[in-house]
Amino acid sequence: MVPSLFWAATTLLGLAPVVQSTPQGFGLTTSTNTQQQPATSTAATTIVAGASAAAACNNSPLLCSRAYNNVTHMGAHDSAFLRDASTGNSIAGNQFFNATVALSAGIRLLQAQVHDVNNTLRLCHTDCSLLDAGPLADWLAKIKYWMDQNPNEVVTLLLVNSDSKPASTLGASFDSSGISTYGYTPSSTTATTVWPTLQNLISSNKRLVTFIAPLGTASPSHPFLLDEFTYVFETPYDVRSLSNFTCTLDRPSSAGTAASGLAAGMLPLMNHFAYTEITSSITVPNAGDIDTTNAPSTVTTGALGAHANSCNAAWGTKPVFVLVDFYDKGPAVDTADRLNGIVPTGRKSSAGGSATSGSGSARDGGMGARENQPYAGELQRPTGKGGMARDISG
């Protein structure tokens, strides 16, 4: 637990910049797509109302026929590390709601950090003495349970392999959680523009795409674990001013520019979260400006909508992945819906209840579904050893 700002500051002085994470570091019938979208300007894609939830893929029937790389997947950065009662409202936390609540609200990319603690892989925020969200296998089991209950959804994971553990070690946690059954293995071992449609992934029940940074040597037993920077490039992540969001390629540096990365078939990830400084060596997630940072506005400096439009114009294609802090603010998923040109169906607000349109998907940021409450879909499940608040890890 991190009970106060004083605890965080005094604990982190020797670990600078300890609170700032080291960020993140699919065969099947496939669809060839070069990531080029019908509209390459900053204009939003035309939004069309969808059919019933029963026919939807990732909350819209319009997405079923689209290739995985022709969809913007909105993601929760450091999704396991919460700022809520279970962590003493730790200023190190990046999210107000846990992973499966986020999935139910429309988030389809979950990023987290993995550390080796006494030969157990745990989700820890930079250092396990700061925020420890429990064993990786337990967290994966909860995501697997959510996927069991939501068979028309494609989920992406992005895990920072902080201690560079071998793929076989990481794979053991996927196996023990049962989620390996959903793992998708792409036909190409290098960056590619050929990806399955969401419906292909769903029909084959291989609807979990997992990136690891770094992966090292691939595991023949776990071919669904993919090295992130073989397939993905990212924009800069260490942003401390809302005027400093860019669309330049930051990692991997070996890919050169964003244009060269795209030409090679890499998937663009737009980092859109900001830090604020406590001291010259300590930064924490910037929650104070989050209503601006996650805003769908296309004209406000630092707004998610404006950043996405800038990258769409610069790249000639929308971002495939976006990572944000405090996803329920904005709500961030509204920007993904606009880029995807959909009116979503079948979502739940993070504050509880149903939200089937973009502007209401997670706007109410109340305490009702925070980490001290059960994971989405688990209301009837036992709390497990140590109680629900300690056991859950999203």
Side-chain angles (χ1 to χ4, degrees):
M1 289 216 172
V2 186
S4 67
L5 173 61
F6 174 79
W7 188 98
T10 56
T11 299
L12 301 181
L13 282 172
L15 298 173
V18 68
V19 180
Q20 177 174 316
S21 66
T22 303
Q24 56 293 353
F26 225 145
L28 299 167
T29 301
T30 57
S31 173
T32 301
N33 186 281
T34 60
Q35 301 176 3
Q36 299 300 315
Q37 307 307 317
T40 59
S41 70
T42 56
T45 306
T46 302
I47 296 178
V48 181
S52 67
C57 303
N58 282 29
N59 298 129
S60 173
L62 297 181
L63 298 182
C64 293
S65 62
R66 292 194 198 170
Y68 176 85
N69 61 330
N70 191 19
V71 175
T72 295
H73 308 261
M74 183 57 65
H77 171 240
D78 276 338
S79 62
F81 310 119
L82 304 186
R83 187 177 298 199
D84 77 341
S86 73
T87 65
N89 292 307
S90 169
I91 59 170
N94 298 79
Q95 303 296 336
F96 293 130
F97 298 93
N98 70 46
T100 61
V101 172
L103 290 171
S104 292
I107 294 297
R108 287 297 174 268
L109 166 63
L110 300 172
Q111 187 266 347
Q113 303 173 44
V114 180
H115 293 255
D116 182 1
V117 182
N118 298 321
N119 296 318
T120 298
L121 296 183
R122 301 183 69 85
L123 298 173
C124 298
H125 198 311
T126 307
D127 185 273
C128 292
S129 64
L130 174 60
L131 280 179
D132 184 344
L136 171 63
D138 290 358
W139 185 73
L140 291 172
K142 294 175 175 67
I143 297 169
K144 195 262 184 185
Y145 182 85
W146 186 92
M147 293 183 71
D148 291 345
Q149 309 306 307
N150 295 273
N152 269 28
E153 306 304 312
V154 176
V155 175
T156 301
L157 300 180
L158 180 46
L159 300 178
V160 178
N161 186 9
S162 301
D163 295 316
S164 298
K165 304 307 292 183
S168 57
T169 300
L170 293 163
S173 291
F174 280 74
D175 292 344
S176 65
S177 71
I179 204 169
S180 293
T181 189
Y182 292 132
Y184 170 63
T185 303
S187 57
S188 175
T189 58
T190 61
T192 179
T193 60
V194 181
W195 291 88
T197 65
L198 296 193
Q199 187 63 67
N200 292 149
L201 292 166
I202 290 164
S203 296
S204 67
N205 212 24
K206 298 297 181 183
R207 49 195 178 88
L208 178 73
V209 182
T210 304
F211 298 106
I212 308 292
L215 181 64
T217 303
S219 168
S221 300
H222 305 93
F224 58 87
L225 298 179
L226 312 178
D227 179 70
E228 180 197 2
F229 293 125
T230 295
Y231 295 90
V232 178
F233 75 80
E234 297 185 16
T235 65
Y237 62 86
D238 186 9
V239 174
R240 306 186 187 191
S241 169
L242 299 194
S243 63
N244 287 345
F245 289 116
T246 75
C247 304
T248 59
L249 183 152
D250 182 57
R251 301 182 299 165
S253 58
S254 59
T257 65
S260 60
L262 289 166
M266 299 185 79
L267 308 178
L269 185 154
M270 189 184 86
N271 284 310
H272 190 83
F273 47 87
Y275 295 100
T276 189
E277 295 182 356
I278 294 179
T279 72
S280 60
S281 58
I282 300 176
T283 61
V284 297
N286 183 350
D289 292 325
I290 198 63
D291 287 333
T292 296
T293 307
N294 283 7
S297 170
T298 60
V299 296
T300 302
T301 298
L304 178 59
H307 190 195
N309 275 12
S310 293
C311 293
N312 184 55
W315 299 338
T317 187
K318 62 194 176 189
V320 175
F321 308 114
V322 179
L323 282 176
V324 299
D325 286 340
F326 310 111
Y327 75 84
D328 57 299
K329 299 302 182 181
V333 74
D334 278 7
T335 294
D337 291 343
R338 177 177 62 83
L339 293 172
N340 288 326
I342 67 167
V343 174
T345 186
R347 290 184 184 159
K348 294 181 180 178
S349 167
S350 291
S354 176
T356 58
S357 65
S359 62
S361 57
R363 189 174 300 280
D364 299 321
M367 289 293 294
R370 298 191 183 223
E371 184 68 357
N372 57 330
Q373 297 296 320
Y375 267 63
E378 292 194 326
L379 296 178
Q380 305 303 318
R381 303 187 83 194
T383 61
K385 185 177 180 180
M388 180 60 71
R390 181 63 185 90
D391 179 58
I392 55 182
S393 56

